[in-house]
Amino acid sequence: MRQISCIITDDEPIARKGLRKYVEKVAFLKLAGECEDALQLSAMLKSEKPELLFLDIEMPYISGIDFLAGIAQPPQVILTTAYEQYAVKGYELDVADYLLKPVSFERFLQAVNKVYDRIERERKPDGERYIFIKSNGILKKVFFDDILFAEGMENYVLIHTRDSKEVVHTTLKNLADSLPEDTFLQVHRSYIVNRTKVEAIEGNTINIGKTRIPVSRNYRESVFAALLGNRLL
């Protein structure tokens, strides 16, 4: 298993110590350094090239959000903070995850596993971006780019592709765990969409082809931030 180098940046010594202990427990993580603030991190990044940053938001001099917004090509980032109100801004900056303090090891592990999967997907050529699904008793290869959206129906999922509708005996959550987050987005407890296939946004619905898909209130802010980002004129 390849290792992912990471840097912890937090102005609280106890918070850095907690994250350091978590990093030491995960075999695929390698700690490259620790910083007390964004100024130290900026200096460290001139010599270190980490693949992951654990970045606190509320810090002296420069906030983690402002620092991240100023980096042209940042590595994977997991934001750590005690304040929920920064979540949408974090998603606009395409962070891998957003951890609320105090951070449990279970939640930490979920976040770093997500980063590991992201990095592994980026290393694969586009031709390998697919999954196998079991539909009608056979295993079918489905390329991510062919999936329009998926609809959850209790213990089944209906996957809508360009040319077919595949019924799979699984849950929407299990499917979400198998799809790349840079391409797919959950917009409702019953729907996951391929963000590249979204053609229009009308109120609380998004349009993919002739299908209008609802966006639930719980997902609204994060969904619109992910879809619009800085692309709104």
Side-chain angles (χ1 to χ4, degrees):
M1 178 182 293
R2 66 185 298 274
Q3 286 192 307
I4 296 173
S5 61
C6 60
I7 292 176
I8 296 169
T9 302
D10 198 305
D11 62 324
E12 299 176 359
I14 293 177
R16 294 199 304 274
K17 181 179 179 180
L19 289 175
R20 185 193 319 130
K21 287 184 175 180
Y22 285 173
V23 168
E24 291 170 353
K25 290 178 179 290
V26 180
F28 61 78
L29 293 180
K30 179 182 179 181
L31 187 60
E34 295 183 26
C35 301
E36 295 182 5
D37 53 48
L39 297 179
Q40 286 188 5
L41 176 59
S42 180
M44 185 174 290
L45 289 178
K46 296 184 185 305
S47 58
E48 298 289 340
K49 303 298 179 184
E51 295 177 274
L52 170 62
L53 298 179
F54 293 100
L55 187 60
D56 187 26
I57 294 178
E58 291 283 351
M59 294 186 294
Y61 310 118
I62 304 173
S63 74
I65 290 287
D66 290 340
F67 177 81
L68 182 56
I71 302 179
Q73 293 182 317
Q76 297 293 325
V77 175
I78 295 176
L79 291 176
T80 61
T81 182
Y83 305 96
E84 293 187 23
Q85 66 264 31
Y86 295 109
V88 171
K89 187 63 178 178
Y91 285 117
E92 289 177 357
L93 294 170
D94 194 31
V95 301
D97 212 333
Y98 183 96
L99 299 180
L100 284 175
K101 298 176 182 178
V103 181
S104 69
F105 181 68
E106 179 182 9
R107 186 66 183 84
F108 174 88
L109 187 60
Q110 181 184 5
V112 296
N113 277 328
K114 186 185 298 185
V115 168
Y116 186 90
D117 290 342
R118 268 193 175 196
I119 292 174
E120 286 300 294
R121 282 195 298 268
E122 289 174 358
R123 293 175 63 239
K124 294 179 180 180
D126 290 341
E128 293 184 27
R129 290 172 61 85
Y130 60 82
I131 55 172
F132 276 95
I133 62 172
K134 190 173 185 180
S135 180
N136 295 322
I138 64 173
L139 290 173
K140 295 183 179 180
K141 179 191 285 187
V142 178
F143 287 94
F144 296 142
D145 189 54
D146 289 337
I147 298 175
L148 303 177
F149 64 94
E151 180 180 0
M153 300 177 293
E154 295 185 357
N155 293 324
Y156 290 86
V157 173
L158 183 60
I159 298 177
H160 298 254
T161 73
R162 289 174 175 174
D163 305 312
S164 66
K165 297 178 182 179
E166 307 291 347
V167 179
V168 184
H169 183 56
T170 189
T171 64
L172 199 66
K173 182 182 184 305
N174 286 340
L175 177 65
D177 291 341
S178 301
L179 297 174
E181 289 187 345
D182 60 340
T183 305
F184 292 90
L185 185 67
Q186 184 151 5
V187 301
H188 186 279
R189 65 191 300 266
S190 299
Y191 289 95
I192 293 173
V193 303
N194 185 332
R195 67 176 72 190
T196 67
K197 309 302 181 184
V198 174
E199 298 174 3
I201 301 173
E202 298 182 50
N204 289 326
T205 64
I206 55 181
N207 297 350
I208 296 181
K210 296 181 179 180
T211 304
R212 299 186 69 186
I213 298 170
V215 178
S216 67
R217 183 167 54 185
N218 292 341
Y219 290 95
R220 178 181 170 84
E221 287 191 9
S222 60
V223 167
F224 288 174
L227 290 177
L228 299 177
N230 59 1
R231 304 177 185 87
L232 181 62
L233 297 179

